[in-house]
Amino acid sequence: SWIIIVFTIIGVLIVFDPLGGKKTFYLPEGVSRNLESSQSGQLLYNVKSSATRVWEKRIRLLCCCIVQDDDHRVAFTSIAELFRTYFSDTDLVPSDIAAGLILLHQEQDKRENCPKEPEEVLCHSPSSLTTDDLDVELENAAHYMLFAAAAYGWPYYVYTNPYTALCKLNGDCCRNRPTDSDITGSDRHNFHFGSILKITGLQYRDFIHISFHNKIYEIPFFVALDHKKEAIVVAVRGTLSFEDILTDLSADCEDLTLEEVLENGFVHKGITQAANYIYRKLINDGILNQAFTIAPEYKLVIVGHSLGGGTASILAIMLRNSFPTLRCYAFSPPGGLLSKSLADYSKHFIISVIVGKDLVARLSMPNMEDLKRRIVRIVANCNRPKYQILLRGCWYEVFGGDPDDFPTELDGRSQDALTQPLLAEESLMVHRSPSYNALEEESHLNSPPQYPHLYLPGKIIHIVEECSSRR
């Protein structure tokens, strides 16, 4: 009974929407759309405000385990407004989303299994990156990936050495910390620093500054001397905490103005705040000056993975004027990072490395909007029971096999053929949700996007397996 009660409460928290029908408020076709009137404007404002407050309470509840300050409150409001905008025209429960993802995955596998001619054939290698250059960049990327991975500290080291990591780290935990390295933040038992030493193979004296300080918009990083490549390496850590997740989710756009380079450029707000924090530490605290005093002939290299890759890219753009020979290696940076003008500018000094079908490199608000519209359409056009889709989908995900032949598109059939659609016609086809309308008429391809398009930084090296197994 207790188990049933607990799952019931969890189910209510997940499915129940305190906004009720307000969030799917659409103006009927026959009603005047004069939103300048005070009554209509006030109604829409109240609906948006109530939706934002609900999302803000949910985010606060999920982040109840971390200490919250003014920066967190600002981030909560920004993320709540983003979620309110994203979910404003849908009324899906989690099981609907799961069914839609299953149907989309099988639909994608069907298309990939069908032999077809490529839409575009590249007849020659791009002149900007020759084969020799590619070999050099791959070798450099493989080398600097160690620094990007080392920034994660002991979690990554334990992950890669599950049987011997703890024993090796315990041998170093009793050693005294080096006095010549500037270390900030908490590192109990020296586990983080010990892991960084073992992953990179460097010595204590090679580290200029190490920061384990972690708050929202403030992520850990370290500065070290790489004698093998004669480089001063700034390695930025990726997502590893609740604070990092909030930084990722602060996905609004803001302007980044660079003197003598570009007048305007849009960037990811949360990641730019993190880059500003590291920029202030490097420049205002004299960390880079100290490093170049020790090794004046070395070049500057900035690296990072995931969130760290995005932060490293924006940080490299900020430092480019002061360090013209700077290079940046971003491993799986977020897809929604830079506007087109900034992405083109960064091709001269940033290399992005993407492996296979990595999710993070394709993660952007326009892509999420496209995914939402496809889920709404594919679920609305399927009349199979939801439990069949979920059960067969779980079997397909675990054991593979042939994709199920669910009717997921109208295929010339009239709307009346959907006698029992998975989503009720009342919610999508009568009230005409904008998401359903846009996909049904395919007008979204020519309509202005709700979110500005942001791109990956620099030149992109995409690594794909020749023979990838289903497993």
Side-chain angles (χ1 to χ4, degrees), residues 414-469:
S414 64
Q415 194 67 54
D416 298 334
L418 290 172
T419 55
Q420 291 182 335
L422 192 54
L423 285 184
E425 293 181 345
E426 184 71 19
S427 63
L428 288 174
M429 301 162 198
V430 175
H431 289 292
R432 289 299 183 188
S433 161
S435 289
Y436 185 81
N437 266 350
L439 269 176
E440 183 186 33
E441 300 165 4
E442 298 296 338
S443 61
H444 69 287
L445 296 176
N446 300 320
S447 61
Q450 183 178 1
Y451 304 97
H453 285 286
L454 300 180
Y455 300 85
L456 286 166
K459 296 177 183 176
I460 301 169
I461 298 177
H462 188 201
I463 302 174
V464 184
E465 290 182 283
E466 288 188 9
C467 298
S468 58
S469 62

Side-chain angles (χ1 to χ4, degrees), residues 218-409:
E218 299 176 5
I219 56 181
F221 69 99
F222 68 81
V223 181
L225 300 178
D226 177 22
H227 302 295
K228 181 179 179 180
K229 294 288 186 179
E230 295 187 346
I232 296 172
V233 180
V234 179
V236 187
R237 197 190 76 181
T239 302
L240 198 64
S241 66
F242 264 119
E243 288 85 355
D244 297 335
I245 294 174
L246 293 176
T247 302
D248 289 322
L249 290 177
S250 298
D252 288 339
C253 293
E254 68 176 19
D255 291 329
L256 180 66
T257 303
L258 301 174
E259 297 180 359
E260 301 179 359
V261 177
L262 294 169
E263 294 183 358
N264 278 311
F266 291 112
V267 288
H268 185 289
K269 178 181 178 181
I271 297 178
T272 304
Q273 296 290 337
N276 279 323
Y277 161 75
I278 299 178
Y279 179 87
R280 292 192 299 268
K281 299 287 287 184
L282 293 177
I283 301 301
N284 297 343
D285 294 356
I287 296 174
L288 286 184
N289 285 337
Q290 180 185 353
F292 279 103
T293 300
I294 298 173
E297 72 280 4
Y298 282 15
K299 60 185 177 182
L300 180 62
V301 177
I302 307 176
V303 302
H305 172 263
S306 186
L307 168 63
T311 306
S313 300
I314 296 179
L315 179 62
I317 294 174
M318 294 177 176
L319 293 171
R320 169 71 170 172
N321 282 342
S322 302
F323 303 92
T325 59
L326 170 150
R327 299 290 291 175
C328 175
Y329 292 88
F331 303 93
S332 299
L337 188 66
L338 304 174
S339 62
K340 188 67 167 61
S341 57
L342 278 175
D344 290 338
Y345 167 70
S346 65
K347 289 180 180 180
H348 301 290
F349 54 94
I350 297 180
I351 298 292
S352 293
V353 181
I354 313 300
V355 178
K357 298 181 181 179
D358 191 354
L359 168 69
V360 177
R362 294 162 174 82
L363 203 57
S364 64
M365 290 310 300
N367 282 355
M368 292 299 295
E369 184 73 16
D370 178 66
L371 176 64
K372 178 185 70 175
R373 289 171 172 171
R374 291 178 185 276
I375 288 176
V376 170
R377 179 177 184 179
I378 204 165
V379 173
N381 288 334
C382 184
N383 57 2
R384 293 293 183 91
K386 196 187 301 181
Y387 75 89
Q388 283 188 15
I389 297 174
L390 295 176
L391 290 178
R392 294 186 182 181
C394 291
W395 179 273
Y396 178 78
E397 297 297 334
V398 174
F399 300 105
D402 295 327
D404 289 315
D405 191 19
F406 286 130
T408 55
E409 300 290 343

